[in-house]
Amino acid sequence: MKPVALITGGSRGIGLGITKSMLEAGYSVAINGVRPKDQVKKVLAELISSKGEVIYCQGNIAESEDRSKIISEVKEHFGRLNVLVNNAGVAPKERNDILEASEESYDWVLDVNLKGPYFLTQLVARWMIEQKNTNPKDTFSIINISSVSATFASVSRGEYCISKAGMTMSTKLWAVRLGAYDIPVYEIQPGIISTDMTAGVVEKYDKLIEEGLTLQKRWGHPQDIGKTVAALAKGMIPYATGQVINADGGMTIQFL
Ligand code: NAI
């Protein structure tokens, strides 16, 4: 029986890269996303025909009822869950200086990027503990996708930075709480990754990368993050619960 991974925001961008890597690594995958199922039909069909078992669990992770529905669907279909990847996230609809930014944007970004993953993890953690008690040899893990914005202060999207910094504490909290059950919790902080989220700032980052923003002189791609997630899920970086992997082409290294 293949192990099962739930990947939020798994139908496009970084999440789709993670889905593909996890299928290649031998997992069955439950993809969550906000879009109605008919809008993701094409990508689901491609994934199912090429790799393996994939289901789609529509739902907004910011909403409590939706989170419960997503987990119920995974339970009903697979009856087990080995890996949760908290990938879904949003950037502010408008970048506004923190002197001007609105509470509405703050609430929306924090609800999706921080509250959603935190309480989804709570539901999954309870279920993983039950599974671990029943099947002590099975392996489980939780992987959070935050951002270099967890540590880099960008005053034109303060709410995003706060949400990602909060996720870093969430990683530590869940690593501490689940340590006794041998359920590791990891965090990946991607740098500049080529997806819909960054489609509007391509020229800006092309120039910055050319000027040396990253040590590895290229954009990151969804598969860079996918491979990192698969390595963590497969236990290739053992004995490292609570750690942050900087998947950013060396962008966060300070040097003189
Ligand atoms: P994207 O905008 O291409 O995809 C985001 C996915 O999340 C979509 O599938 C969307 O349906 C889903 N989603 C959004 N709100 C949701 C909600 N309320 N409930 C359920 N699903 C929801 O974004 P991208 O670039 O793939 O980003 C994925 C993650 O990586 C995000 O958490 C983002 O903050 C983070 N990240 C992205 C970077 C980049 O350069 N693209 C850099 C660092 C971090």
Side-chain angles (χ1 to χ4, degrees), residues 141-251:
S141 59
I142 294 171
I143 301 168
N144 289 329
I145 309 299
S146 65
S147 168
V148 288
S149 297
T151 58
F152 279 2
S154 302
V155 293
S156 62
R157 47 192 176 125
E159 63 274 61
Y160 183 77
C161 297
I162 290 170
S163 71
K164 296 300 185 179
M167 191 174 229
T168 300
M169 177 49 76
S170 186
T171 303
K172 290 185 192 179
L173 289 165
W174 287 110
V176 171
R177 191 65 188 84
L178 298 176
Y181 300 96
D182 195 21
I183 300 173
V185 183
Y186 307 104
E187 175 173 341
I188 299 172
Q189 294 188 354
I192 312 299
I193 312 295
S194 164
T195 68
D196 288 349
M197 191 182 268
T198 45
V201 285
V202 169
E203 270 178 38
K204 174 185 163 178
Y205 283 113
D206 276 348
K207 187 163 178 287
L208 289 171
I209 291 168
E210 189 49 41
E211 289 166 359
L213 177 71
T214 53
L215 303 183
Q216 290 172 276
K217 252 189 170 183
R218 66 166 175 86
W219 281 73
H221 301 295
Q223 61 267 33
D224 293 320
I225 309 306
K227 285 177 183 170
T228 311
V229 168
L232 289 166
K234 294 290 272 183
M236 303 302 275
I237 307 175
Y239 204 49
T241 191
Q243 295 307 302
V244 173
I245 311 264
N246 299 102
D248 62 7
M251 183 181 168

Side-chain angles (χ1 to χ4, degrees), residues 1-141:
M1 225 169 18
K2 287 186 174 189
V4 177
L6 168 62
I7 300 162
T8 66
S11 64
R12 74 171 206 217
I14 292 175
L16 181 57
I18 297 170
T19 296
K20 289 178 179 169
S21 292
M22 291 299 277
L23 287 167
E24 269 158 27
Y27 286 80
S28 295
V29 173
I31 293 178
N32 151 257
V34 265
R35 289 182 288 175
K37 197 172 180 179
D38 60 334
Q39 286 180 24
V40 292
K41 255 187 200 157
K42 196 168 159 239
V43 66
L44 287 181
E46 282 165 13
L47 290 168
I48 290 164
S49 65
S50 65
K51 307 270 170 35
E53 195 169 5
V54 179
I55 62 163
Y56 186 69
C57 310
Q58 194 278 336
N60 176 357
I61 53 160
E63 299 291 337
S64 172
E65 270 183 26
D66 285 20
R67 289 190 297 271
S68 299
K69 182 173 75 97
I70 295 162
I71 298 305
S72 299
E73 285 175 17
V74 179
K75 265 189 192 165
E76 203 172 298
H77 189 88
F78 291 111
R80 61 195 187 283
L81 180 62
N82 301 84
V83 181
L84 167 66
V85 186
N86 282 310
N87 162 78
V90 290
K93 287 175 188 148
E94 279 177 26
R95 288 189 177 199
N96 280 318
D97 186 279
I98 52 175
L99 286 170
E100 313 295 339
S102 69
E103 280 192 39
E104 192 191 354
S105 178
Y106 183 98
D107 288 343
W108 179 64
V109 171
L110 268 284
D111 280 358
V112 176
N113 291 6
L114 187 57
K115 187 181 85 174
Y118 182 77
F119 284 104
L120 189 65
T121 299
Q122 184 186 63
L123 285 181
V124 168
R126 290 176 186 154
W127 185 21
M128 283 183 177
I129 291 169
E130 278 173 34
Q131 293 177 86
K132 192 81 191 172
N133 286 337
T134 322
N135 304 306
K137 286 192 180 151
D138 285 359
T139 57
F140 302 89
S141 59

